[in-house]
Amino acid sequence: MTYWLFKTEPAECGIDDLLNAPASICWSGIRNYQARNFLRDQVAIGDQVLIYHSQCKAVGIAGIAEITRAAYADPHQFVVGDRYFDSKATITTPRWFNVDVCFKRKFQQIISLAELKQIPALHNMMLLKQGRLSVQPVSTQEWLTIMDVAGGLDDQ
DNA sequence: GCCAACGTTGGC
DNA sequence: GCCAACGTTGGC
């Protein structure tokens, strides 16, 4: 089991969309090779995911999701005219992948980016070193540190 | 909206 | 394979 951090714009799909979804939702639209490689090669069923809200008023970690389906070809890459169409992708050699996630937990308060930056145990977190990666691994120590900050109670 | 940092494309 | 130009991400 591995820990991850996924970035998302809450205006598109935030922690509340996960919370309100009746079942798993498809995590799609990843179009960065480094993120793709993590998704395709390493993300597995049961992995735990920090949901990070970006490009919004309150940036930070909003809650937790769980992987319910490992990587499968993103159908959008095959649809001519689709925003995510990719002419170099084929059915037999897809280029982009999705996973499915389900809601696990919404933190009572977002753990803000500013707060994360101030925690010494997180200084090496990918999030803080390489700002742009939308799927990234989180170490066990980092995960435990964040769980500590989030508090132990489930709280929706 | 600005701008820095980073990723991708394409000519050579 | 290099590198300039361009595009995108993402915090502020």
Side-chain angles (χ1 to χ4, degrees):
Chain A
M1 203 270 292
T2 311
Y3 298 117
W4 302 95
L5 181 145
F6 287 5
K7 285 187 192 170
T8 184
E9 299 178 25
E12 301 245 337
C13 176
I15 196 71
D16 288 327
D17 296 292
L18 281 161
L19 190 158
N20 293 321
S24 291
I25 66 161
C26 172
W27 203 264
S28 64
I30 301 294
R31 289 295 183 275
N32 165 286
Y33 288 108
Q34 204 181 348
R36 188 278 309 266
N37 292 346
F38 281 131
L39 273 189
R40 185 190 57 188
D41 304 333
Q42 294 188 45
V43 172
I45 290 181
D47 284 358
Q48 305 291 301
V49 182
L50 297 170
I51 299 298
Y52 178 88
H53 285 177
S54 69
Q55 316 226 65
C56 58
K57 276 192 177 171
V59 295
I61 300 170
I64 301 172
E66 179 174 323
I67 302 295
T68 54
R69 185 179 173 190
Y72 57 100
D74 180 354
H76 291 277
Q77 70 194 305
F78 306 124
V79 180
V80 179
D82 190 283
R83 174 184 171 194
Y84 289 117
F85 175 66
D86 186 333
S87 62
K88 302 214 176 108
T90 66
I91 299 283
T92 46
T93 56
R95 181 179 278 196
W96 305 111
F97 294 83
N98 296 340
V99 296
D100 288 353
V101 301
C102 70
F103 175 81
K104 285 287 280 192
R105 182 173 170 201
K106 177 182 176 178
F107 296 157
Q108 210 153 39
Q109 291 187 312
I110 283 191
I111 306 174
S112 72
L113 179 60
E115 197 175 348
L116 293 169
K117 284 177 177 168
Q118 286 174 3
I119 300 170
L122 300 180
H123 278 171
N124 288 321
M125 237 187 133
M126 272 195 167
L127 177 74
L128 305 181
K129 307 199 101 180
Q130 184 179 346
R132 293 165 46 108
L133 190 57
S134 56
V135 171
Q136 54 181 262
V138 172
S139 77
T140 303
Q141 280 314 308
E142 289 161 354
W143 179 273
L144 293 174
T145 300
I146 289 161
M147 290 310 104
D148 214 34
V149 175
L153 296 173
D154 271 353
D155 40 34
Q156 22 287 331

